[in-house]
Amino acid sequence: MKINVITIDGPSASGKGALALGIANIFGFKILDSGSLYRLFAYFLKMKLSSNEIADQIKMNIEFNKSNEKLIILHEGKDITSELRSEEIAKLASEYGSKKTVRDSLYSIQRNFYDGNILVADGRDMGTVVFKDAKLKIFLTASPEERAKRRYIELQNRGQEVNMPALLADIKERDLKDSSREISPLIPAEDSHLIDSSNMSLKEVCSIAKNLIKKEFI
Ligand code: C5P
């Protein structure tokens, strides 16, 4: 049986997070940013916590606060969003994300975000592994150059130092790692709707998604 989940998968900086937030705000849906769980894993591993301790920290001491503009992540009340969004943590998250033990320990945490109400889940394997039974699946992509440009603006706005050629190289490296790993590789689910946002604004992508949601849920 299909469950009330909208999955949005795709490569780094393809706009999955912005689309998920946009849809969640328009319709009042719950949201799961699964990439942040992998980033949290990397963040806590850097603090030398064990896998079990990390899972406990995520379950008990992490809070996700959704505002209109962004998703804020709090650890014991402290805003750690900027630290989690750094390129260093992204690289580590991608490295640990290729390990079966890491993916297994995050599987039930991700599944538990679904409580029967409509959930928007974005990541790499939402439609292929975690919510295989989702009612609506979207695969959102864009050219590496366009994605590097978007990430550049995002990091600059956060006041972080950025270097465009290095950013593009990082994105290409992460694409390769994410799509060629053995476990849960980044590939579109067979029953997903493919959207290439290279030449589209967020508003245009949201509008396509809105029509798909209306067809499926409303
Ligand atoms: O989406 P985001 O860039 O925050 O994800 C960070 C990293 O976490 C990705 O590069 C990817 O390797 C990993 N990830 C994953 N599976 C997911 C979400 C993220 O392996 N469902």
Side-chain angles (χ1 to χ4, degrees):
M1 211 182 72
K2 298 276 186 202
I3 59 169
N4 286 330
V5 176
I6 300 159
T7 61
I8 306 174
D9 288 308
S12 301
S14 55
K16 302 179 301 285
L19 176 61
L21 199 61
I23 292 171
N25 284 333
I26 294 169
F27 295 100
F29 299 156
K30 243 183 101 171
I31 196 165
L32 161 63
D33 165 15
S34 65
S36 69
L37 298 178
Y38 285 88
R39 287 170 186 264
L40 280 165
F41 206 97
Y43 175 82
F44 286 126
L45 215 56
K46 253 182 84 182
M47 292 180 179
K48 311 269 183 254
L49 266 61
S50 69
S51 293
N52 286 342
E53 287 168 338
I54 293 174
D56 287 346
Q57 282 294 327
I58 294 177
K59 280 184 220 156
M60 294 185 302
N61 295 329
I62 291 292
E63 222 182 294
F64 294 89
N65 275 355
K66 179 168 73 69
S67 76
N68 269 348
E69 313 244 302
K70 59 179 190 166
L71 195 66
I72 292 162
I73 301 161
L74 304 168
H75 176 227
E76 293 176 334
K78 180 184 162 218
D79 184 351
I80 56 166
T81 321
S82 273
E83 280 158 277
L84 291 179
R85 301 296 308 165
S86 72
E87 282 300 294
E88 186 205 355
I89 290 289
K91 265 194 221 172
L92 284 175
S94 180
E95 203 177 307
Y96 298 132
S98 63
K99 299 191 194 313
K100 186 175 178 334
T101 47
V102 175
R103 304 203 78 83
D104 286 350
S105 75
L106 292 178
Y107 181 84
S108 63
I109 295 178
Q110 296 173 88
R111 267 310 279 205
N112 284 338
F113 270 76
Y114 179 60
D115 60 8
N117 294 308
I118 300 178
L119 173 73
V120 188
D122 83 82
R124 304 293 186 290
D125 60 343
M126 298 295 97
T128 48
V129 177
V130 181
F131 298 109
K132 250 194 229 169
D133 42 1
K135 245 186 215 166
L136 175 62
K137 300 180 184 180
I138 293 171
F139 193 86
L140 183 63
T141 185
S143 68
E145 289 73 19
E146 179 58 32
R147 288 184 283 123
K149 224 191 304 172
R150 292 177 193 170
R151 185 68 101 205
Y152 183 88
I153 296 168
E154 182 197 337
L155 293 173
Q156 228 181 18
N157 286 342
R158 283 177 198 275
Q160 292 180 17
E161 264 195 39
V162 267
N163 169 303
M164 190 61 176
L167 209 53
L168 182 59
D170 276 357
I171 280 192
K172 285 185 174 167
E173 189 192 324
R174 209 133 41 94
D175 280 359
L176 185 67
K177 227 185 227 157
D178 288 349
S179 49
S180 62
R181 70 179 170 224
E182 241 170 79
I183 317 155
S184 303
L186 170 69
I187 39 160
E190 270 176 27
D191 48 350
S192 62
H193 299 264
L194 196 80
I195 304 177
D196 184 339
S197 73
S198 299
N199 297 308
M200 279 188 213
S201 66
L202 175 61
K203 212 171 152 197
E204 286 171 297
V205 179
C206 262
S207 159
I208 296 175
K210 248 163 66 181
N211 288 334
L212 291 171
I213 292 167
K214 281 183 186 155
K215 244 197 258 165
E216 206 62 56
F217 292 94
I218 297 163

